Amino acid sequence: MLCRVCRGSKLTQFLDLGFTPPADDFLRLERLREPEVYYPLEVVICDECSLVQLNHVVPPELLFQREYPYESSTTETGRKHYYSLANDVSRHYNLSPKDLVIDIGSNVGVLLAGFKLRGVRVLGLEPARDVCATANKNGIETINEFFSESLAQEIVRTRGKARVITGTNVVAHINDLHALVRGLDTLLIEKGVFVFEAPYLVHLLEKLEYDTIYHEHLSYLSLAPMKRLFENFGMEIIDAQEVSIHGGTMRYHVARGNDFPVDPAVDEYIRAEREKGIYELEYLRKFACSVERHRKELGWMLQSLKQDGNRIAGVSAPAKGMTLLSYCKIGRETLDFITEKSPLKMGKFTPGTHIPVVGDSELIERMPDYALLLAWNFADEIMKNLDEYRRKGGKFIIPIPEPRIVG
Ligand SMILES: [Zn+2]
């Protein structure tokens, strides 16, 4: 395999999370007796450009087009975040009704709805069929395709070029990053901008968010390698800022070279990345040791609770939770069930571990003694929604960065 940014071939592995099935492939009852395919989850760093990435690619058709169960509208925190992103970008670039905004991986269209409110023309691109249909039903015109150079050319022909292209939590999912950047160059008007958000590698490493590593996330982005990626194609990162969603996200603004002044924040982040040493193998191997230690600690905690006769359930079933369950080997012997708000997962079973997923109300009805909160990035909102569980004496376990009990 070659590096996704620089095409270099010297990739050094520093973390091995074992073999897992795709994290979003929740199983219907009739599939429980069928074999599941497990893929390696190994993380490497490129010696040349420092991009941290997976060394194995699961075909995207398998990951994103088969009953994809993620809807960006599920949480209030998420909705608020997308509206504020649409507002910030509209104001910053003075968008007007003649401007076109295109969102890559637009999901059910929550971000574009924010732009539409401000009177801007919008178009979504979303490969998952059901999610795309929901977006169109909600009045956000959405094309059911993966982004590609040929799709970019077709959009230019039929609707013209975009003033702004956005992508939230999508760049890390794309295998051919060079084709992405060429497509952006095709689709953007003169002085157009690409604004994208991705979980920031620095947070992943510092806050031990290793569960955000799963097959959909091919790259773990940071400023230094991203700068290099865009420079290869005459583009540059003109601004970068951290936002709090998903446990620490970086928002990047990208434009063609010399179209805009470059904010000093970009180089400051790169300097900070190097000063912390996040690209050094020694640092990354220490991180891998912490991951191993975390697995033991969480395992001991759950095991001793079980030995004392406690019943434990899971709360929320995000993709990251599946990495945690698989890697920490937490299955039905530990969790009786997992509750989830999204109807797309209810009634199914978790991939690999086969834990039944039920509606949130069952947490109150069945009152397990402890609830392992898998979507820890939305802990405050989820615990508020399930306040009744806590008032009745239930306790939450927040697993990341260190397992802790909240009573
Ligand atoms: Zn590289």
Side-chain angles (χ1 to χ4, degrees), residues 3-8 11 46-51 53 228:
C3 168
R4 289 190 178 88
V5 162
C6 73
R7 302 288 199 236
L11 304 170
C46 173
D47 289 9
E48 177 63 33
C49 75
S50 302
L51 180 71
Q53 53 202 305
R228 177 150 173 177

PDB file of all heavy atoms in Angstrom, residues 3-8 11 46-51 53 228, ligand 1:
ATOM      1  N   CYS A   3       1.156   5.585   0.612  1.00  0.00           N
ATOM      2  CA  CYS A   3       0.568   6.645   1.436  1.00  0.00           C
ATOM      3  C   CYS A   3      -0.471   7.424   0.637  1.00  0.00           C
ATOM      4  O   CYS A   3      -0.273   7.732  -0.533  1.00  0.00           O
ATOM      5  CB  CYS A   3       1.669   7.581   1.920  1.00  0.00           C
ATOM      6  SG  CYS A   3       1.039   9.087   2.650  1.00  0.00           S
ATOM      7  N   ARG A   4      -1.596   7.760   1.289  1.00  0.00           N
ATOM      8  CA  ARG A   4      -2.692   8.466   0.597  1.00  0.00           C
ATOM      9  C   ARG A   4      -2.345   9.912   0.239  1.00  0.00           C
ATOM     10  O   ARG A   4      -2.970  10.490  -0.624  1.00  0.00           O
ATOM     11  CB  ARG A   4      -3.934   8.523   1.496  1.00  0.00           C
ATOM     12  CG  ARG A   4      -4.547   7.210   1.637  1.00  0.00           C
ATOM     13  CD  ARG A   4      -5.893   7.213   2.297  1.00  0.00           C
ATOM     14  NE  ARG A   4      -6.232   5.820   2.239  1.00  0.00           N
ATOM     15  CZ  ARG A   4      -5.899   4.929   3.170  1.00  0.00           C
ATOM     16  NH1 ARG A   4      -5.337   5.321   4.277  1.00  0.00           N
ATOM     17  NH2 ARG A   4      -6.152   3.673   2.982  1.00  0.00           N
ATOM     18  N   VAL A   5      -1.357  10.503   0.943  1.00  0.00           N
ATOM     19  CA  VAL A   5      -1.012  11.890   0.652  1.00  0.00           C
ATOM     20  C   VAL A   5       0.170  11.982  -0.301  1.00  0.00           C
ATOM     21  O   VAL A   5       0.107  12.636  -1.332  1.00  0.00           O
ATOM     22  CB  VAL A   5      -0.737  12.671   1.959  1.00  0.00           C
ATOM     23  CG1 VAL A   5       0.045  13.951   1.697  1.00  0.00           C
ATOM     24  CG2 VAL A   5      -2.056  13.007   2.655  1.00  0.00           C
ATOM     25  N   CYS A   6       1.298  11.298   0.020  1.00  0.00           N
ATOM     26  CA  CYS A   6       2.529  11.526  -0.747  1.00  0.00           C
ATOM     27  C   CYS A   6       2.893  10.347  -1.638  1.00  0.00           C
ATOM     28  O   CYS A   6       3.879  10.406  -2.356  1.00  0.00           O
ATOM     29  CB  CYS A   6       3.683  11.851   0.205  1.00  0.00           C
ATOM     30  SG  CYS A   6       4.269  10.416   1.110  1.00  0.00           S
ATOM     31  N   ARG A   7       2.092   9.270  -1.594  1.00  0.00           N
ATOM     32  CA  ARG A   7       2.359   8.058  -2.381  1.00  0.00           C
ATOM     33  C   ARG A   7       3.660   7.375  -1.972  1.00  0.00           C
ATOM     34  O   ARG A   7       4.216   6.566  -2.723  1.00  0.00           O
ATOM     35  CB  ARG A   7       2.387   8.348  -3.896  1.00  0.00           C
ATOM     36  CG  ARG A   7       1.122   8.970  -4.463  1.00  0.00           C
ATOM     37  CD  ARG A   7      -0.022   7.975  -4.515  1.00  0.00           C
ATOM     38  NE  ARG A   7      -1.083   8.373  -5.430  1.00  0.00           N
ATOM     39  CZ  ARG A   7      -2.366   8.525  -5.089  1.00  0.00           C
ATOM     40  NH1 ARG A   7      -2.740   8.362  -3.834  1.00  0.00           N
ATOM     41  NH2 ARG A   7      -3.276   8.850  -5.981  1.00  0.00           N
ATOM     42  N   GLY A   8       4.185   7.730  -0.799  1.00  0.00           N
ATOM     43  CA  GLY A   8       5.389   7.069  -0.291  1.00  0.00           C
ATOM     44  C   GLY A   8       5.076   5.635   0.112  1.00  0.00           C
ATOM     45  O   GLY A   8       3.925   5.285   0.365  1.00  0.00           O
ATOM     46  N   LEU A  11       5.745   2.892   5.303  1.00  0.00           N
ATOM     47  CA  LEU A  11       4.704   3.090   6.305  1.00  0.00           C
ATOM     48  C   LEU A  11       5.053   2.234   7.516  1.00  0.00           C
ATOM     49  O   LEU A  11       5.321   1.043   7.379  1.00  0.00           O
ATOM     50  CB  LEU A  11       3.348   2.669   5.729  1.00  0.00           C
ATOM     51  CG  LEU A  11       2.946   3.369   4.416  1.00  0.00           C
ATOM     52  CD1 LEU A  11       1.713   2.710   3.805  1.00  0.00           C
ATOM     53  CD2 LEU A  11       2.681   4.847   4.662  1.00  0.00           C
ATOM     54  N   CYS A  46       3.178   7.435   7.867  1.00  0.00           N
ATOM     55  CA  CYS A  46       4.054   7.553   6.698  1.00  0.00           C
ATOM     56  C   CYS A  46       5.355   8.234   7.113  1.00  0.00           C
ATOM     57  O   CYS A  46       5.345   9.307   7.702  1.00  0.00           O
ATOM     58  CB  CYS A  46       3.356   8.366   5.604  1.00  0.00           C
ATOM     59  SG  CYS A  46       4.438   8.742   4.216  1.00  0.00           S
ATOM     60  N   ASP A  47       6.473   7.587   6.812  1.00  0.00           N
ATOM     61  CA  ASP A  47       7.783   8.152   7.176  1.00  0.00           C
ATOM     62  C   ASP A  47       8.045   9.479   6.467  1.00  0.00           C
ATOM     63  O   ASP A  47       8.785  10.321   6.950  1.00  0.00           O
ATOM     64  CB  ASP A  47       8.911   7.183   6.765  1.00  0.00           C
ATOM     65  CG  ASP A  47       8.922   5.955   7.660  1.00  0.00           C
ATOM     66  OD1 ASP A  47       7.971   5.793   8.449  1.00  0.00           O
ATOM     67  OD2 ASP A  47       9.870   5.152   7.551  1.00  0.00           O
ATOM     68  N   GLU A  48       7.426   9.646   5.309  1.00  0.00           N
ATOM     69  CA  GLU A  48       7.726  10.788   4.457  1.00  0.00           C
ATOM     70  C   GLU A  48       6.881  12.025   4.829  1.00  0.00           C
ATOM     71  O   GLU A  48       7.410  13.089   5.061  1.00  0.00           O
ATOM     72  CB  GLU A  48       7.493  10.365   2.994  1.00  0.00           C
ATOM     73  CG  GLU A  48       7.690  11.422   1.955  1.00  0.00           C
ATOM     74  CD  GLU A  48       9.125  11.936   1.907  1.00  0.00           C
ATOM     75  OE1 GLU A  48      10.050  11.132   2.178  1.00  0.00           O
ATOM     76  OE2 GLU A  48       9.303  13.137   1.612  1.00  0.00           O
ATOM     77  N   CYS A  49       5.557  11.880   4.888  1.00  0.00           N
ATOM     78  CA  CYS A  49       4.701  13.063   5.102  1.00  0.00           C
ATOM     79  C   CYS A  49       3.985  13.040   6.446  1.00  0.00           C
ATOM     80  O   CYS A  49       3.256  13.967   6.776  1.00  0.00           O
ATOM     81  CB  CYS A  49       3.675  13.189   3.981  1.00  0.00           C
ATOM     82  SG  CYS A  49       2.331  11.991   4.113  1.00  0.00           S
ATOM     83  N   SER A  50       4.134  11.946   7.218  1.00  0.00           N
ATOM     84  CA  SER A  50       3.571  11.824   8.565  1.00  0.00           C
ATOM     85  C   SER A  50       2.055  11.605   8.620  1.00  0.00           C
ATOM     86  O   SER A  50       1.448  11.746   9.677  1.00  0.00           O
ATOM     87  CB  SER A  50       3.913  13.046   9.441  1.00  0.00           C
ATOM     88  OG  SER A  50       5.290  13.212   9.528  1.00  0.00           O
ATOM     89  N   LEU A  51       1.421  11.286   7.497  1.00  0.00           N
ATOM     90  CA  LEU A  51      -0.009  10.985   7.588  1.00  0.00           C
ATOM     91  C   LEU A  51      -0.213   9.676   8.364  1.00  0.00           C
ATOM     92  O   LEU A  51       0.399   8.658   8.051  1.00  0.00           O
ATOM     93  CB  LEU A  51      -0.641  10.846   6.197  1.00  0.00           C
ATOM     94  CG  LEU A  51      -2.150  10.537   6.236  1.00  0.00           C
ATOM     95  CD1 LEU A  51      -2.949  11.755   6.700  1.00  0.00           C
ATOM     96  CD2 LEU A  51      -2.672  10.041   4.901  1.00  0.00           C
ATOM     97  N   GLN A  53      -2.620   6.639   9.147  1.00  0.00           N
ATOM     98  CA  GLN A  53      -3.659   6.038   8.310  1.00  0.00           C
ATOM     99  C   GLN A  53      -3.783   4.540   8.558  1.00  0.00           C
ATOM    100  O   GLN A  53      -2.913   3.929   9.161  1.00  0.00           O
ATOM    101  CB  GLN A  53      -3.326   6.291   6.832  1.00  0.00           C
ATOM    102  CG  GLN A  53      -1.913   5.859   6.432  1.00  0.00           C
ATOM    103  CD  GLN A  53      -1.407   6.563   5.172  1.00  0.00           C
ATOM    104  OE1 GLN A  53      -2.061   6.513   4.137  1.00  0.00           O
ATOM    105  NE2 GLN A  53      -0.250   7.211   5.267  1.00  0.00           N
ATOM    106  N   ARG A 228       0.556  19.451   3.015  1.00  0.00           N
ATOM    107  CA  ARG A 228       1.309  18.859   1.908  1.00  0.00           C
ATOM    108  C   ARG A 228       0.377  18.348   0.808  1.00  0.00           C
ATOM    109  O   ARG A 228       0.640  18.509  -0.384  1.00  0.00           O
ATOM    110  CB  ARG A 228       2.158  17.724   2.466  1.00  0.00           C
ATOM    111  CG  ARG A 228       2.905  17.021   1.400  1.00  0.00           C
ATOM    112  CD  ARG A 228       4.178  16.465   1.923  1.00  0.00           C
ATOM    113  NE  ARG A 228       4.784  15.657   0.887  1.00  0.00           N
ATOM    114  CZ  ARG A 228       5.940  15.080   1.011  1.00  0.00           C
ATOM    115  NH1 ARG A 228       6.639  15.244   2.103  1.00  0.00           N
ATOM    116  NH2 ARG A 228       6.431  14.356   0.030  1.00  0.00           N
TER     117      ARG A 228
HETATM  118 ZN    ZN B   1       3.007  10.112   3.010  1.00  0.00          ZN
END
